[in-house]
Amino acid sequence: MKYISTRGSAPALNFEEVLLTGLASDGGLYVPEVLPRFTHEEIASWAGLSYTDLAFNVMYPFVEGSIPEMDFRDMLRDTYEESFSHKAVAPLTQLDRNEWVMELFHGPTLAFKDFALQLLGRLLDYVLEKRKEHVVILGATSGDTGSAAIEGCRRCKNVDIFILHPHNRVSDVQRKQMTTITGDNIHNLAVEGNFDDCQQMVKESFGDQSFLEGKSRLVAVNSINWARIMAQIVYYFHASLALGGPHRSVSFSVPTGNFGDIFAGYLARNMGLPINQLVVATNKNDILHRFISENKYSPEALHHTLSPSMDIMVSSNFERLLFDLYGRDGKALAELMASFKTDASVSIDDYRWKAARKLFDSFTVDDEKTCQTIKAVFDESEELLDPHTAIGVESARQCRRDASIPMVTLATAHPVKFPEAVEKSGAGVSPELPHHLSDLFEREESYTVIENSLEAVQSYVKAHGNHDKAL
Ligand SMILES: Cc1ncc(COP(=O)(O)O)c(C=O)c1O
Ligand SMILES: N[C@@H](CCOP(=O)(O)O)C(=O)O
């Protein structure tokens, strides 16, 4: 399997190389040159498989040629059978007739990020050990990616991990999940800015790595890394098969920020899974909703909401969708992205936008409605939603095209991570931290507050990495 850049001029890479990359050298994002496609019969034959075996079938075509089959199977077994606390890995809970949530929060850090980052840690360990290479992981988080990346990669022998989070803009639980994991290769930086600032610094650092003076290279843990998206495709197949797919279509509503999780659903559909509708569910930071509903992609000032993990304005994976909407013409997309850089706003040809609208709908939910939804769903079904999932459920209810088709909202985080929203909702319950995190608030934290400056961040990384530790 080869991977190509959305901007058309970076070299094509194999899986191992793409795993060890962030942005492509031309500023684009890597995507498979040819997406694997499964027949209806093949997908139907996967009914009843364990999550691990399903994950193997869906993902192996992406890694083939880089990771031997047995090694990949071992990694998947270790990931999904050892690290997740629910036997079903991603259980489905029914809210109403044909209305479901898929709980993606039974991994160690209680968010959907564990599905990919638990695997990514194992993949990195495997590949770096083989290559005798030491790398620097540089990631940005609005709260969930950070802890999942640290948890997933902390046992990797050959990495230094630097995670940037917006200072005072993640929940206390999220911050403590990141900052209480200590180790001389783990560095949490609280940036005096917002998530977009953190993400921008990460992307600029990937674009020019000269600050590392050739001693190491950067690897991404955000969804700009293809391996993140790849692992997130699997649970769409899992949900569909559990609900009668591929013999019937299923729709999904996805709480969206960086567009990675919903892009994985879009790929599942292109790989042959019958998906009727994908709902882009946003909070007040509704740039993606404005694109889907008005064909206008234009960043505005970032709002701080009760769903902080989606306080994102510049949405990384949107470019991967645009690449397809532009007929996979890298040159045309590079021009479009250049015009976006100049004009800070983009609209695409009407026929391209209408092609996207065939599959995608969107909705935006404010804090008040988020709280109302948490309470209403708890009263109806005793399922306590986190604020991001509540946005997904409300958006699904607003945008649903066909009530006879099952609608699955991705429950992207456990409510215990967001006590403020749960309390404000008036649901009258306060979820408890699971056993492995029960003493989280007594654990000692370690992080560095740092100014919102690329130079300051890069100097920190340079000074604190074990860059001479090449094996
Ligand atoms: C809990 C939660 N829900 C939803 C999202 C949005 O996912 P994506 O960025 O893949 O759109 C995130 C993070 O981005 C998140 O942490
Ligand atoms: N919501 C994320 C933001 C980063 O998104 P990613 O999927 O690109 O890593 C977070 O919680 O950190």
Side-chain angles (χ1 to χ4, degrees):
M1 169 70 74
K2 280 278 173 204
Y3 293 85
I4 54 170
S5 165
T6 50
R7 299 203 192 165
S9 54
L13 303 180
N14 65 24
F15 177 76
E16 183 172 319
E17 293 158 339
V18 98
L19 172 73
L20 298 178
T21 315
L23 290 180
S25 57
D26 57 6
L29 296 174
Y30 276 104
V31 288
E33 188 173 33
V34 180
L35 201 63
R37 210 180 147 83
F38 306 117
T39 63
H40 185 91
E41 290 70 32
E42 261 175 301
I43 299 171
S45 75
W46 300 342
L49 287 186
S50 67
Y51 194 92
T52 304
D53 289 340
L54 178 65
F56 178 83
N57 288 346
V58 174
M59 284 193 272
Y60 196 64
F62 293 116
V63 307
E64 202 167 1
S66 290
I67 317 257
E69 185 177 325
M70 286 318 290
D71 293 348
F72 193 53
R73 277 195 192 278
D74 286 347
M75 263 181 249
L76 294 175
R77 201 169 300 121
D78 198 35
T79 300
Y80 298 113
E81 292 172 22
E82 301 301 326
S83 309
F84 285 73
S85 63
H86 198 291
K87 286 257 181 288
V89 186
L92 285 154
T93 301
Q94 187 160 17
L95 298 185
D96 205 339
R97 192 176 158 266
N98 272 340
E99 191 190 30
W100 305 78
V101 289
M102 175 161 53
E103 296 180 352
L104 299 175
F105 50 72
H106 295 286
T109 69
L110 315 181
F112 76 98
K113 313 282 179 172
D114 289 323
F115 279 80
L117 285 162
Q118 281 294 311
L119 178 61
L120 189 90
R122 286 160 172 91
L123 283 165
L124 282 179
D125 216 16
Y126 178 91
V127 164
L128 293 174
E129 195 65 23
K130 189 179 75 175
R131 295 165 69 106
K132 306 285 178 226
E133 189 177 344
H134 187 269
V135 299
V136 172
I137 286 177
L138 182 62
T141 187
S142 52
D144 292 321
T145 294
S147 58
I150 293 170
E151 187 60 47
C153 301
R154 69 175 167 152
R155 287 179 204 88
C156 298
K157 290 190 272 303
N158 307 319
V159 302
D160 286 311
I161 311 175
F162 294 84
I163 299 293
L164 316 184
H165 72 265
H167 189 35
N168 292 331
R169 295 295 179 199
V170 300
S171 79
D172 288 349
V173 175
Q174 287 179 311
R175 191 193 66 251
K176 282 177 180 283
Q177 281 182 296
M178 292 187 270
T179 60
T180 59
I181 300 182
T182 49
D184 75 345
N185 65 337
I186 298 171
H187 307 272
N188 280 288
L189 299 179
V191 176
E192 293 174 313
N194 61 35
F195 171 75
D196 283 337
D197 298 324
C198 298
Q199 178 156 257
Q200 182 59 21
M201 288 194 272
V202 167
K203 286 182 177 169
E204 284 185 33
S205 300
F206 273 94
D208 179 0
Q209 302 189 21
S210 55
F211 71 100
L212 290 174
E213 294 170 346
K215 290 181 180 161
S216 200
R217 71 155 113 186
L218 296 181
V219 169
V221 282
N222 285 107
S223 54
I224 55 175
N225 188 324
W226 165 257
R228 280 279 314 275
I229 304 292
M230 171 185 86
Q232 292 173 204
I233 297 171
V234 178
Y235 43 69
Y236 288 90
F237 281 86
H238 166 79
S240 161
L241 285 160
L243 295 174
H247 309 295
R248 71 199 293 216
S249 270
V250 175
S251 294
F252 292 91
S253 176
V254 188
T256 307
N258 247 347
F259 205 74
D261 215 7
I262 195 158
F263 185 72
Y266 161 83
L267 293 178
R269 184 172 185 267
N270 290 350
M271 290 164 74
L273 191 71
I275 293 180
N276 179 261
Q277 181 189 9
L278 287 172
V279 178
V280 174
T282 70
N283 65 17
K284 206 173 171 194
N285 298 297
D286 62 351
I287 182 167
L288 290 164
H289 168 58
R290 283 182 284 117
F291 173 76
I292 300 292
S293 56
E294 301 163 24
N295 188 10
K296 193 155 193 261
Y297 186 80
S298 65
E300 290 178 351
L302 198 75
H303 299 282
H304 299 296
T305 71
L306 287 174
S307 44
S309 301
M310 293 181 349
D311 289 348
I312 299 176
M313 194 49 75
V314 180
S315 188
S316 298
N317 290 283
F318 183 57
E319 176 164 342
R320 285 183 163 127
L321 176 68
L322 286 177
F323 182 58
D324 280 3
L325 294 177
Y326 272 74
R328 308 199 113 212
D329 178 346
K331 192 162 165 282
L333 193 68
E335 279 163 20
L336 185 80
M337 297 317 287
S339 78
F340 174 61
K341 209 169 172 187
T342 324
D343 306 340
S345 174
V346 97
S347 296
I348 63 173
D349 303 312
D350 201 47
Y351 73 94
R352 299 186 201 275
W353 176 70
K354 283 189 175 137
R357 285 306 318 263
K358 281 193 181 142
L359 178 63
F360 291 101
D361 287 286
S362 68
F363 200 69
T364 175
V365 180
D366 64 15
D367 279 350
E368 194 183 344
K369 191 70 195 169
T370 302
C371 290
Q372 284 169 7
T373 308
I374 294 174
K375 175 155 172 38
V377 171
F378 187 72
D379 289 348
E380 287 158 18
S381 64
E382 290 196 10
E383 178 78 359
L384 186 64
L385 306 179
D386 96 287
H388 306 81
T389 309
I391 288 169
V393 168
E394 173 61 14
S395 301
R397 289 178 175 180
Q398 295 292 336
C399 295
R400 196 161 186 185
R401 291 179 188 170
D402 184 342
S404 71
I405 292 175
M407 170 63 82
V408 180
T409 295
L410 270 49
T412 49
H414 193 291
V416 77
K417 296 184 95 165
F418 306 99
E420 191 187 349
V422 173
E423 197 188 321
K424 282 196 172 143
S425 76
V429 273
S430 37
E432 281 181 18
L433 284 162
H435 182 66
H436 71 283
L437 291 172
S438 57
D439 63 346
L440 185 66
F441 280 81
E442 281 104 66
R443 294 181 195 168
E444 204 172 316
E445 288 188 74
S446 164
Y447 64 97
T448 303
V449 179
I450 194 162
E451 66 180 293
N452 186 1
S453 129
L454 180 63
E455 209 191 335
V457 166
Q458 292 186 341
S459 304
Y460 189 97
V461 173
K462 196 174 146 208
H464 292 82
N466 297 301
H467 307 306
D468 297 321
K469 209 175 148 193
L471 292 175

